[in-house]
Amino acid sequence: MNAIEENEFVAGFRKVGKAISKPNAILCISAHWETRGTLVTAMYKPPTIHDFGGFPKELYQVEYPAPGSPELAKTTQTIVAKTDVIPDEKWGLDHGAWSVIRHMYPEANVPVVQLSLDYTKPAKYHYELACELKSLREKGVLIVGSGNIVHNLRRVDWRKMNENYGYDWANEANQKMKQFIEERNHEALIAYEKQGSAFQMAIPTPEHYLPLLYVLALQDKNEAHNFFNDEPVAGAISMTSLQIG
């Protein structure tokens, strides 16, 4: 619903979009494109995918007509040595991508490419693959990891969807993750399954968490970071966002 609402999270995305230099292109790793193997969208005109159900019709009417970039897809294939990155002509831009990027670049004038999450691989694999993407930053590519560091839909309090409310375990996990990020303890974040019961509740499945690792892997040794949208929602979701650089 952030895609069509006016709220603090939308304002946060817009603020970041205005604060950074306009990128030449965007590579997005979304929680909502899981595949066997690693794929990259390679079409010139990616469709807007409405990959959800049970929401107001206004949400299904949203189109985000940003162009694709077969050139960026090819470059991504070239620089990743850890696996074969397969070009894809079928996916497009899912709501993990467009619900965020449309607020940063509402004119849809920045090419967007999506990189899939290989659901067969562990967290360390994703972090190491992300390290190979670092040279894209030097080419003016903005890399966006879209998910939630706390995301447990089975525990959501649907009565409080419009409230900044988090269960104790959700707040604990969110705070501990931020602490690890502040300490640059990426190893602890990679080994999230070993961090106790709050992490286990916050990350019942990995797909919404893994995009964080793609962002952290790109951080240079002395590079600054900034948290924004740091609020819980409906008890079991965190909107905490992270800007590197």
Side-chain angles (χ1 to χ4, degrees):
M1 292 299 293
N2 287 330
I4 58 174
E5 290 181 345
E6 286 294 329
N7 57 38
E8 62 189 301
F9 307 125
V10 168
F13 296 141
R14 286 180 181 149
K15 183 177 179 179
V16 169
K18 293 176 181 178
I20 63 176
S21 300
K22 182 180 176 182
N24 296 324
I26 297 170
L27 177 70
C28 181
I29 300 92
S30 164
H32 295 277
W33 192 22
E34 293 185 274
T35 57
R36 180 179 289 275
T38 301
L39 280 62
V40 63
T41 55
M43 68 284 286
Y44 283 103
K45 294 183 178 181
T48 303
I49 301 173
H50 302 90
D51 51 324
F52 42 77
F55 288 90
K57 65 178 182 179
E58 290 81 6
L59 198 57
Y60 299 91
Q61 294 171 347
V62 173
E63 294 290 327
Y64 189 68
S69 176
E71 298 81 10
L72 175 55
K74 184 64 177 179
T75 300
T76 303
Q77 288 181 269
T78 301
I79 66 174
V80 172
K82 192 170 185 63
T83 188
D84 291 329
V85 178
I86 308 302
D88 176 85
E89 297 279 352
K90 298 178 181 179
W91 188 245
L93 303 181
D94 61 49
H95 80 274
W98 57 260
S99 68
V100 174
I101 297 171
R102 76 186 300 259
H103 296 302
M104 299 177 70
Y105 304 104
E107 296 179 2
N109 56 0
V110 178
V112 182
V113 164
Q114 280 199 225
L115 186 72
S116 74
L117 291 169
D118 186 344
Y119 64 82
T120 71
K121 302 298 185 183
K124 187 173 181 62
Y125 174 92
H126 290 281
Y127 184 88
E128 291 175 348
L129 190 157
C131 287
E132 298 186 331
L133 301 174
K134 187 172 289 189
S135 64
L136 292 179
R137 295 182 65 190
E138 301 169 4
K139 301 178 184 296
V141 176
L142 172 64
I143 300 176
V144 174
S146 176
N148 297 95
I149 61 176
V150 175
H151 187 273
N152 190 333
L153 291 184
R154 289 172 291 183
R155 301 281 180 166
V156 160
D157 187 339
W158 297 102
R159 300 166 299 176
K160 298 183 177 181
M161 280 301 294
N162 295 317
E163 295 183 29
N164 294 145
Y165 168 71
Y167 296 124
D168 288 345
W169 57 263
N171 293 332
E172 178 186 342
N174 190 76
Q175 188 59 39
K176 192 66 175 179
M177 290 181 203
K178 288 169 57 184
Q179 179 183 333
F180 286 145
I181 293 170
E182 293 282 7
E183 297 170 348
R184 299 178 186 263
N185 188 351
H186 294 183
E187 287 300 320
L189 291 160
I190 292 168
Y192 68 91
E193 295 168 304
K194 300 178 181 179
Q195 303 307 326
S197 60
F199 271 60
Q200 292 169 9
M201 292 287 287
I203 313 168
T205 55
E207 76 286 341
H208 276 79
Y209 176 78
L210 291 174
L212 171 67
L213 300 184
Y214 279 80
V215 173
L216 291 176
L218 302 168
Q219 187 176 25
D220 290 333
K221 184 177 180 180
N222 297 314
E223 193 169 23
H225 60 263
N226 174 56
F227 294 107
F228 64 101
N229 286 354
D230 186 14
E231 296 287 354
V233 174
I237 297 174
S238 168
M239 290 300 297
T240 301
S241 302
L242 174 69
Q243 177 188 351
I244 300 294

